[in-house]
Amino acid sequence: MVNKEVEKIFGIETVNADNYKYALTHPSYIKDNDLPYTECYERLEFLGDAVLKLAVSNILYKEYPKYTEGQMSKIRSIVVSDNILAKIANEIGLDKLIIAGVHDTKQGIKKLESVTACSLEATLGAYFLDGKFHEVMNFLDKVLHEYIIDVDKNFEKFNAKAILQEYTQGLTKETPVYNLVESKGAEHNKTFVVEVSYRGEVVAQGEGKTKKEAEQHAAYSACEKLGAIKHE
């Protein structure tokens, strides 16, 4: 049973077994098997997203008593991104429990950040419905803490696109332009290469497992070259 595997990962007892199966079921599976919409992770993901944001907000509020609402919001937006949630899902082994349609499984959909991130949030939603809110909050407090500290200490790397845009607009009111120049590797394990240009000239290049990640790396390199980020 999927719920028993979830219990091993989270260390929290499950009650409604069906919800955990739904939480780990990609929409392609219910489409292939002509099942109701409610038997995939989308509704539970909606609920789990709220649980996750509350957990992160609680940690930030306690960890940084002098931070403004704006500062905490910026950190939270990065911590709850697909990139970080997917890393957590992979680290704890939740990605291995995802159920998807035959074709989509062959295409490597279970490895997509958006899919693993949604599955994690949906599982949190299932636990919430089981009345395990406090247990989940404790679990997230342990799992998310190091990521929150990392984002706070290395904010420029995580938020380089916004920093670069603010910097260039301050100079000339022009914004950076990102172009995908290459994608390499197998369909389920691609690496994307992106160039960022400013005023018609290529400033930097970045690579990543997603286009967004490649853009962030390119933006960070551009920030360093243009002096938008100052290193002590």
Side-chain angles (χ1 to χ4, degrees), residues 38-81:
T38 52
E39 293 188 14
C40 76
Y41 60 49
E42 292 184 344
R43 280 176 54 83
L44 285 166
E45 183 266 334
F46 170 79
L47 184 60
D49 175 68
V51 174
L52 176 68
K53 286 179 179 175
L54 180 56
V56 176
S57 299
N58 185 49
I59 297 169
L60 288 168
Y61 193 84
K62 292 187 295 184
E63 185 72 30
Y64 304 107
K66 294 185 179 180
Y67 276 20
T68 64
E69 179 269 343
Q71 288 174 302
M72 292 188 290
S73 292
K74 288 178 180 179
I75 295 174
R76 185 180 64 187
S77 69
I78 296 170
V79 174
V80 301
S81 67

Side-chain angles (χ1 to χ4, degrees), residues 131-154:
K132 304 294 183 178
F133 177 72
H134 293 293
E135 291 89 341
V136 166
M137 290 289 279
N138 289 333
F139 174 84
L140 291 174
D141 189 74
K142 295 175 184 176
V143 172
L144 293 172
H145 196 266
E146 63 178 280
Y147 286 98
I148 289 173
I149 299 298
D150 187 34
V151 171
D152 180 55
K153 288 183 177 179
N154 303 287

Side-chain angles (χ1 to χ4, degrees), residues 202-217:
V202 175
V203 181
Q205 189 177 89
E207 293 189 7
K209 288 300 181 182
T210 66
K211 292 177 184 177
K212 287 183 179 180
E213 185 178 291
E215 287 175 357
Q216 284 290 357
H217 290 165

Side-chain angles (χ1 to χ4, degrees), residues 2-232:
V2 172
N3 65 304
K4 293 303 178 183
E5 294 300 315
V6 172
E7 283 185 6
K8 292 177 184 177
I9 290 173
F10 285 81
I12 305 171
E13 183 183 4
T14 60
V15 180
N16 187 327
D18 285 343
N19 279 342
Y20 296 92
K21 180 181 178 182
Y22 304 156
L24 292 159
T25 299
H26 186 263
S28 63
Y29 183 84
I30 64 169
K31 184 178 180 181
D32 281 4
N33 294 276
D34 197 27
L35 296 171
Y37 166 75
T38 52
E39 293 188 14
C40 76
Y41 60 49
E42 292 184 344
R43 280 176 54 83
L44 285 166
E45 183 266 334
F46 170 79
L47 184 60
D49 175 68
V51 174
L52 176 68
K53 286 179 179 175
L54 180 56
V56 176
S57 299
N58 185 49
I59 297 169
L60 288 168
Y61 193 84
K62 292 187 295 184
E63 185 72 30
Y64 304 107
K66 294 185 179 180
Y67 276 20
T68 64
E69 179 269 343
Q71 288 174 302
M72 292 188 290
S73 292
K74 288 178 180 179
I75 295 174
R76 185 180 64 187
S77 69
I78 296 170
V79 174
V80 301
S81 67
D82 285 354
N83 178 257
I84 288 182
L85 296 185
K87 286 180 181 178
I88 293 171
N90 293 337
E91 285 173 2
I92 64 179
L94 193 66
D95 59 312
K96 295 179 175 63
L97 302 180
I98 295 172
I99 304 163
V102 176
H103 175 72
D104 289 79
T105 297
K106 289 179 180 178
Q107 293 299 311
I109 200 168
K110 294 182 186 180
K111 294 184 180 294
L112 292 181
E113 287 184 351
S114 58
V115 174
T116 50
C118 284
S119 296
L120 175 58
E121 289 181 312
T123 303
L124 299 178
Y127 265 125
F128 178 80
L129 292 177
D130 272 354
K132 304 294 183 178
F133 177 72
H134 293 293
E135 291 89 341
V136 166
M137 290 289 279
N138 289 333
F139 174 84
L140 291 174
D141 189 74
K142 295 175 184 176
V143 172
L144 293 172
H145 196 266
E146 63 178 280
Y147 286 98
I148 289 173
I149 299 298
D150 187 34
V151 171
D152 180 55
K153 288 183 177 179
N154 303 287
F155 188 75
E156 291 91 349
K157 287 186 178 180
F158 289 100
N159 203 42
K161 284 185 69 177
I163 293 171
L164 180 61
Q165 180 164 320
E166 183 178 337
Y167 178 78
T168 57
Q169 285 185 314
L171 291 175
T172 62
K173 298 190 184 301
E174 294 181 52
T175 58
V177 177
Y178 298 88
N179 290 305
L180 177 66
V181 295
E182 185 182 4
S183 61
K184 49 192 177 183
E187 188 65 33
H188 64 279
N189 191 32
K190 282 187 177 296
T191 296
F192 297 91
V193 182
V194 168
E195 287 181 343
V196 57
S197 302
Y198 172 56
R199 305 191 74 182
E201 293 187 9
V202 175
V203 181
Q205 189 177 89
E207 293 189 7
K209 288 300 181 182
T210 66
K211 292 177 184 177
K212 287 183 179 180
E213 185 178 291
E215 287 175 357
Q216 284 290 357
H217 290 165
Y220 186 74
S221 294
C223 283
E224 290 185 309
K225 289 182 179 180
L226 296 174
I229 292 175
K230 306 293 184 183
H231 294 291
E232 295 181 0

